[in-house]
Amino acid sequence: MTSPNAAPAVPDKLDGTVLKIASVVVLGAIMSILDVTVVSVALPTFATEFDSTYATVAWTMTGYTLALATVIPLTGWAADRFGTKRLYMTALILFVLGSVLCSFAWDITTLIGFRVLQGLGGGMLMPLGMTIMTRAAGPDRVGRVMAVLGIPMLLGPIGGPILGGWLIEAASWHWIFLINLPIGIVALAAAFIILPSDRPSPSESFDFLGMLLLSPGLALFLFGVSSIPEVGTVASARVLVSGAIGLMLIIAFVFHALRKDHPLIDLRLFKNRQLSVAVITTSLFIVAFMGAGLLFPSYFIQVGGHTTLAAGLLMAPQGIGAMLTMPVAGRLVDKIGPGKIVLTGLPLILIGLGVFTQVAGDSPAWLLMGALFVMGLGMGCTMMPLMTAAIVTLSNEQVARGSSLMNIVQQTAGSIGTAVMSVVLTNQLLDRGLDNQTVAMQHVPEVAAQQPPGAVDSILNAAADAFGNTFMVATVLIALTLIPAFLLPRKKTVNPALEAEDVPQIMMH
């Protein structure tokens, strides 16, 4: 047990030192997460500027995601080898450099390439931030740490579409990338001054074979999955060949990792029952929640006829709801365990999503904003408690690997959710003789004026019905998430691996 002399070093609240470290980590995470949602509203602008199809410009987001998935497996080893502070500053430099290069892109190909470079930096920021924060706070305050790290996840969906829409309208698309330069310089200076220097522990040899199997495997698998909306079918050579090769490489990595002493990603962590349950619950939740989240702005713009800026503002209640519950959930999860919190959050998300399954062409904005607010309340009780459930039982040496594992799960599930919901919506629209462009054009006065009486309302109601059916798929997936969530612990978790460790030593590690 921890000695009485060590107890004061772990106050119940997050102290000033931890909060300073948190400010650095949150700055980097905000840039990384905000960048995804900022770019999402710029896709139509890219299509016009570079004379490209929507499917082509979508790779500015997909390329970024693939880079994230490729680099995350390396982060755990690199953190041990080079130290978290040095690696975090390197990731910031890569991200800011990629951002500046994106603003100078001269065609869509170079923009996608520079987005990949940006993603290589962005992919390391979140798992490194989790590792730095968890080590600084100690095991008894992981829930509150996760609540702090949840701030960027809230600001992304709220601020991203609003900021992106405003920058494009007030200046130009270049500024959605250039905005990262001043923020990145501040984050870099703060990281240099505030982050504690840690001693690298390069005792483990680098798993080159694991890297050659897992990183390309993840990239190819996600490339195949992400190609489904563009080619319109799973039965495409591009989808099947890349997906199958990627899956085979991932399976080969599993066999390799289970035999190797120090693999790139330690799959033996799955022997930890609580982590395994948290991973399964998180995977189902992210597929549904992220997939549905992609469609909310599309519904507001294409069916509701709102501008990108207005759509961003309509999404704000979701983030506000999460901001109310996430700090409370972070405190409670350290005291009563994650199970009760997650089982409170998931039904709230079900209620909110249930409203969207009934959308029509003229659904009132106040009703949908209310539904998003309720979903936000649930999200604040779900996302970070699940991360806490996975991380809290790990030893200090396992935290970096566990963080990398959970981030890979999130990125992969998010990509699958986005692809699944995009395919379902596309097929729902095609069944009604519609596509996204036809629906959006109904809000152009010149086009609407040429339609016979009632035709515009009929088209918008049919499109709303397609969206509603797609939201129903997400709702069913959230309901299924309740099954593994019932297996999460419903009392405070005691970590036997850390029980006998001296917490001040953990904080200095």
Side-chain angles (χ1 to χ4, degrees), residues 317-382:
Q318 186 179 54
I320 293 168
M323 282 177 119
L324 293 176
T325 53
M326 190 171 282
V328 179
R331 289 188 64 81
L332 289 177
V333 78
D334 288 333
K335 298 180 184 301
I336 63 172
K340 293 175 184 175
I341 315 263
V342 173
L343 288 172
T344 302
L346 289 175
L348 288 170
I349 295 171
L350 277 173
I351 292 168
L353 260 179
V355 173
F356 276 89
T357 64
Q358 305 302 313
V359 286
D362 57 352
S363 292
W366 65 264
L367 175 64
L368 301 181
M369 290 172 77
L372 285 170
F373 178 73
V374 172
M375 282 187 69
L377 293 174
M379 189 251 196
C381 295
T382 307

Side-chain angles (χ1 to χ4, degrees), residues 43-52 57:
L43 297 184
T45 305
F46 293 154
T48 304
E49 288 283 330
F50 297 119
D51 192 24
S52 299
V57 299

